[in-house]
Amino acid sequence: MTPRAKVTAIACVSLSVVALLAAPFVEAEAEAASDSASGYQMTAVIDRARGKSVLAGDYESAIERLMGQRRKRFESSNNLCVAYAMTGDFDRADAACADALKLSEESRIRRDKAVALSNIGVLKALGGDLSGARADFSKALDLSGELSQASDNLSLLSSGDA
């Protein structure tokens, strides 16, 4: 079984307040847990798009409500990515993260793109693509150097503790 298949729940959650183009919003970082305690952090936007449900661990409800939305937005796709990853549905997590990345590129909001890349990097790391994960974490940091999740994920990957 790959490490990715072992991810089962959020191990710990902490909150940090960040700014996005002068419009404040709150992100949550969720540490992806596994039997080997991977420690990777995924980021969900919690003031929009069912982010509080994702933070609370109510993944199925968040997925159901987010899938019912007519218009795709970065926040919705990003939070779907995190919710699917936490339920172990990595194929759907990959697709939702790809949507989040596409939407962030269309909006040209660097922080959104950095968050999407960091989350994609976590999925790659859990799937065993460590060089791909390293590249995504590095790109995320190039876009938004203060994204602590990307920095922490890259440090964890580089330390070999993952």
Side-chain angles (χ1 to χ4, degrees):
M1 178 182 293
T2 66
R4 178 178 179 156
K6 294 179 186 176
V7 175
T8 57
I10 291 180
C12 86
V13 177
S14 61
L15 299 177
S16 61
V17 178
V18 296
L20 175 64
L21 293 179
F25 76 102
V26 179
E27 290 180 346
E29 45 187 74
E31 219 175 275
S34 73
D35 294 337
S36 61
S38 70
Y40 290 109
Q41 299 172 5
M42 296 189 82
T43 306
V45 181
I46 66 164
D47 69 335
R48 298 184 211 146
R50 302 292 164 204
K52 289 182 182 177
S53 296
V54 173
L55 179 63
D58 190 7
Y59 310 123
E60 297 299 331
S61 173
I63 289 167
E64 183 179 323
R65 290 186 171 199
L66 289 168
M67 291 302 297
Q69 293 182 348
R70 290 181 213 157
R71 189 174 138 233
K72 284 188 180 180
R73 295 177 33 225
F74 165 77
E75 295 87 353
S76 301
S77 294
N78 183 74
N79 289 351
L80 267 174
C81 167
V82 175
Y84 279 133
M86 293 302 167
T87 63
D89 190 341
F90 294 106
D91 290 335
R92 287 189 175 139
D94 285 336
C97 275
D99 284 344
L101 181 60
K102 179 182 175 196
L103 291 164
S104 72
E105 289 171 342
E106 290 172 2
S107 72
R108 299 180 187 217
I109 298 174
R110 293 170 62 95
R111 180 141 183 109
D112 287 356
K113 186 173 181 180
V115 167
L117 284 167
S118 183
N119 285 344
I120 290 169
V122 170
L123 295 176
K124 286 180 180 178
L126 294 174
D129 180 4
L130 303 183
S131 63
R134 182 173 285 107
D136 287 338
F137 296 147
S138 295
K139 285 181 204 172
L141 287 170
D142 287 344
L143 289 166
S144 183
E146 68 276 351
L147 185 62
S148 64
Q149 296 88 335
S151 178
D152 293 348
N153 289 336
L154 184 58
S155 294
L156 182 64
L157 183 67
S158 297
S159 73
D161 290 338

